Amino acid sequence: MSLPARGFVVFLLSTQVVQGQDDWGVTFSSTEICAVKGSTVEIRCSFTYPSKVLFTTVEKTFWFTKKKGRERVDLKTDSEYRGRVEDLCQNNICTLRIRNLRESDSAEYKFRIIIQEGGSYTGSPGVTLSVTDPDLQLKVSRAYSDQAELKCQTSCHVPDNNSYIWYKNGEELRTGISYSRLVNFGSADIYSCALNGHENHRSPSVYAPKPPSVSVSPSAEIEEGSSVTLTCSSDANPAASYTWYKDETSYSSILNEEHQFVFSSMQASDSGQYFCTAENELGRRTSENVFIDVKYAPKPPSVSVSPSAEIEEGSSVTLTCSSDANPAATYTWYKDETSYSSILNEEPQLVFSSINSSDSGEYFCTAENELGRSTSENVFIDVKYKSPMIMNITRLVLVVLVLSPLLLVCLWMRKKKAVSSTTEANEPIETVELDPFSVYEDISDLNMVSPEQTEGPEEQEDLV
């Protein structure tokens, strides 16, 4: 059977449907057929008639449609079908062939038998034909890890011998006429297809996801406890599936697999970088990062004391107030107050360069930003007092420890000088050994000198 150059033939075989009584009957190959405009369709049936009538012969068979005002009109004589139909019958099998289908050809087609003995029979119900534009769709499936398979399909049956036209980025491909083809996964190319002779009715294009965008709602400043929705969207066909990640580049930690990621009550720990991926059978794309900055009031501040050991009067002491807050907190220091009326300092640190015993007491601080204020626990500073007598004794001990080696050197030099004077008087030179105990006795003598024996009051003050 030859086919039109730019058309195709449609005929469907299905479970046979038989209607008849008293040995009359018509069997249709299918009761419903869908065909594309401009194509060729074949409607086929077989028939029987009463065998008990001797020498029965078939006078006429024909196909007709139940259109308004055209009851039982042979299609071969119908002006709407003239030149487009063929009625072929052989061995009680008849085929109606309609070329260059039009939408107006959509109707119910019936087959009628007339015998010479005056009997007749019409098969009912007949065959319903639907003529439509080529409603082509490209079905995409992953055939391999690095390739995807495209199949050009239509809601109407299309014989396998029909030719297909493939398009890549809008340009016709001249390689192959198959209804399927393989393409590389991850390619940014756009594909579509059409039936030969129906180039104006291309399928919708298929393509990998475009780089997705991320939107944040509400778009205003985000406060702790508020509800926030992140939405990932990408142009893709087939439609993309979405996955959410946070602060990762290895895609190992999946947060959500929906196009929206909803925080019902935002927490400070939710701050960070978020991104999403969009993926279909043709490829995957990743969005830009979006930074979520959750604002919150200061957490209860903590107070640290440096040094943390026992605090003595005159030492340097630093109190530090710290709190987790966004935006950053400002700090205020107070002492022994609950009314916050006496401000000591408005810095994170309260520094005592030389602390006094009067500085002893309880200290606390507050941390505040535009979202709220929080107060620390009290910290007690206990400054140890030092009396003047203890301080003078301490100074005296330090002076003695520093001057003792110098005094030893001076006494040794005096004894050496005395020995040198003796040898100059032509006396026998004797070796003088320095008795360390005598040196210490001299030092004791020096320390035993009373204040009255000193040269003046200034030296006494120096000694003290």
Side-chain angles (χ1 to χ4, degrees):
M1 179 176 62
S2 62
L3 299 180
R6 297 180 68 82
F8 58 90
V9 176
V10 176
F11 58 93
L12 297 181
L13 296 178
S14 63
T15 303
Q16 291 185 339
V17 179
V18 180
Q19 302 88 14
Q21 59 186 6
D22 300 329
D23 296 326
W24 290 96
V26 176
T27 301
F28 295 102
S29 60
S30 178
T31 58
E32 292 187 2
I33 298 176
C34 177
V36 176
K37 284 194 309 183
S39 64
T40 298
V41 68
E42 289 186 349
I43 304 174
R44 182 174 298 172
C45 74
S46 61
F47 65 89
T48 60
Y49 51 90
S51 59
K52 63 183 179 181
V53 180
L54 297 177
F55 308 109
T56 300
T57 60
V58 176
E59 180 179 333
K60 184 178 181 181
T61 62
F62 64 94
W63 295 84
F64 67 94
T65 63
K66 289 196 64 175
K67 292 184 179 181
K68 187 175 181 179
R70 297 185 183 183
E71 186 70 21
R72 298 180 182 176
V73 176
D74 188 346
L75 291 183
K76 294 193 300 295
T77 63
D78 192 323
S79 59
E80 282 191 17
Y81 293 89
R82 187 174 299 140
R84 297 192 298 122
V85 298
E86 293 180 78
D87 186 357
L88 308 174
C89 286
Q90 186 176 9
N91 298 326
N92 291 6
I93 298 176
C94 293
T95 300
L96 173 66
R97 181 181 298 161
I98 308 174
R99 302 186 189 88
N100 193 22
L101 284 171
R102 307 167 183 171
E103 285 190 40
S104 60
D105 294 335
S106 298
E108 182 183 11
Y109 291 79
K110 293 188 176 184
F111 183 75
R112 185 169 179 78
I113 309 166
I114 301 176
I115 59 177
Q116 288 181 343
E117 287 71 18
S120 64
Y121 180 80
T122 299
S124 182
V127 178
T128 301
L129 173 64
S130 298
V131 181
T132 65
D133 287 322
D135 185 19
L136 294 175
Q137 298 293 329
L138 268 180
K139 182 180 179 181
V140 186
S141 60
R142 286 290 294 276
Y144 308 99
S145 61
D146 60 345
Q147 286 188 315
E149 183 181 27
L150 307 182
K151 291 182 179 180
C152 193
Q153 297 180 335
T154 178
S155 57
C156 293
H157 175 74
V158 177
D160 293 338
N161 60 355
N162 190 76
S163 60
Y164 292 79
I165 301 174
W166 287 90
Y167 298 90
K168 176 181 176 181
N169 300 325
E171 298 294 328
E172 182 177 340
L173 297 175
R174 297 294 182 181
T175 56
I177 58 174
S178 172
Y179 77 102
S180 68
R181 68 184 300 113
L182 292 176
V183 298
N184 291 329
F185 176 77
S187 170
D189 296 323
I190 300 174
Y191 293 90
S192 62
C193 67
L195 290 171
N196 186 22
H198 298 274
E199 291 82 357
N200 293 330
H201 297 280
R202 297 184 191 180
S203 71
S205 299
V206 296
Y207 44 92
K210 306 300 182 184
S213 61
V214 174
S215 62
V216 182
S217 179
S219 58
E221 186 175 88
I222 298 173
E223 295 184 9
E224 191 173 39
S226 62
S227 176
V228 176
T229 300
L230 308 184
T231 302
C232 185
S233 57
S234 172
D235 179 19
N237 190 25
S241 59
Y242 300 94
T243 308
W244 283 97
Y245 304 87
K246 177 185 179 184
D247 299 331
E248 294 287 340
T249 56
S250 62
Y251 306 99
S252 59
S253 178
I254 296 176
L255 299 177
N256 187 289
E257 292 183 313
E258 300 290 338
H259 81 287
Q260 286 190 327
F261 186 24
V262 179
F263 298 88
S264 57
S265 179
M266 226 32 181
Q267 300 301 312
S269 58
D270 293 326
S271 293
Q273 301 276 357
Y274 291 83
F275 66 95
C276 65
T277 60
E279 182 175 7
N280 65 10
E281 294 84 351
L282 294 172
R284 181 173 70 175
R285 297 290 186 274
T286 302
S287 72
E288 297 289 336
N289 287 357
V290 59
F291 180 68
I292 301 298
D293 186 20
V294 182
K295 306 293 186 180
Y296 50 95
K299 308 301 181 183
S302 61
V303 175
S304 62
V305 183
S306 179
S308 57
E310 185 177 87
I311 299 173
E312 295 183 355
E313 194 173 34
S315 61
S316 175
V317 177
T318 300
L319 307 185
T320 301
C321 185
S322 58
S323 172
D324 180 21
N326 188 19
T330 58
Y331 298 94
T332 307
W333 283 97
Y334 304 88
K335 178 186 178 184
D336 300 331
E337 295 286 343
T338 57
S339 62
Y340 307 99
S341 60
S342 178
I343 297 176
L344 300 178
N345 189 296
E346 291 184 319
E347 298 291 337
Q349 290 186 328
L350 178 60
V351 179
F352 298 89
S353 57
S354 179
I355 200 164
N356 296 314
S357 58
S358 60
D359 294 324
S360 294
E362 291 190 333
Y363 292 82
F364 66 93
C365 66
T366 62
E368 184 176 5
N369 63 16
E370 58 263 32
L371 299 176
R373 181 173 68 173
S374 188
T375 303
S376 72
E377 297 290 335
N378 288 0
V379 59
F380 182 69
I381 300 298
D382 185 17
V383 181
K384 301 301 182 182
Y385 174 76
K386 278 189 175 182
S387 67
M389 181 178 292
I390 295 175
M391 294 179 64
N392 289 336
I393 292 173
T394 301
R395 292 173 183 171
L396 180 60
V397 171
L398 291 174
V399 170
V400 170
L401 291 176
V402 172
L403 295 180
S404 293
L406 297 176
L407 292 174
L408 288 173
V409 172
C410 290
L411 291 174
W412 180 79
M413 293 295 293
R414 287 176 60 187
K415 286 186 175 289
K416 182 176 180 182
K417 184 176 181 180
V419 172
S420 299
S421 301
T422 306
T423 55
E424 289 177 358
N426 296 323
E427 293 181 358
I429 300 173
E430 297 180 357
T431 302
V432 178
E433 296 181 359
L434 181 63
D435 185 357
F437 292 100
S438 63
V439 173
Y440 281 107
E441 289 175 358
D442 293 337
I443 294 175
S444 300
D445 293 341
L446 179 62
N447 291 336
M448 292 301 294
V449 175
S450 64
E452 291 79 7
Q453 294 174 320
T454 57
E455 294 181 4
E458 293 182 358
E459 294 183 358
Q460 294 183 32
E461 292 176 358
D462 293 338
L463 180 58
V464 175

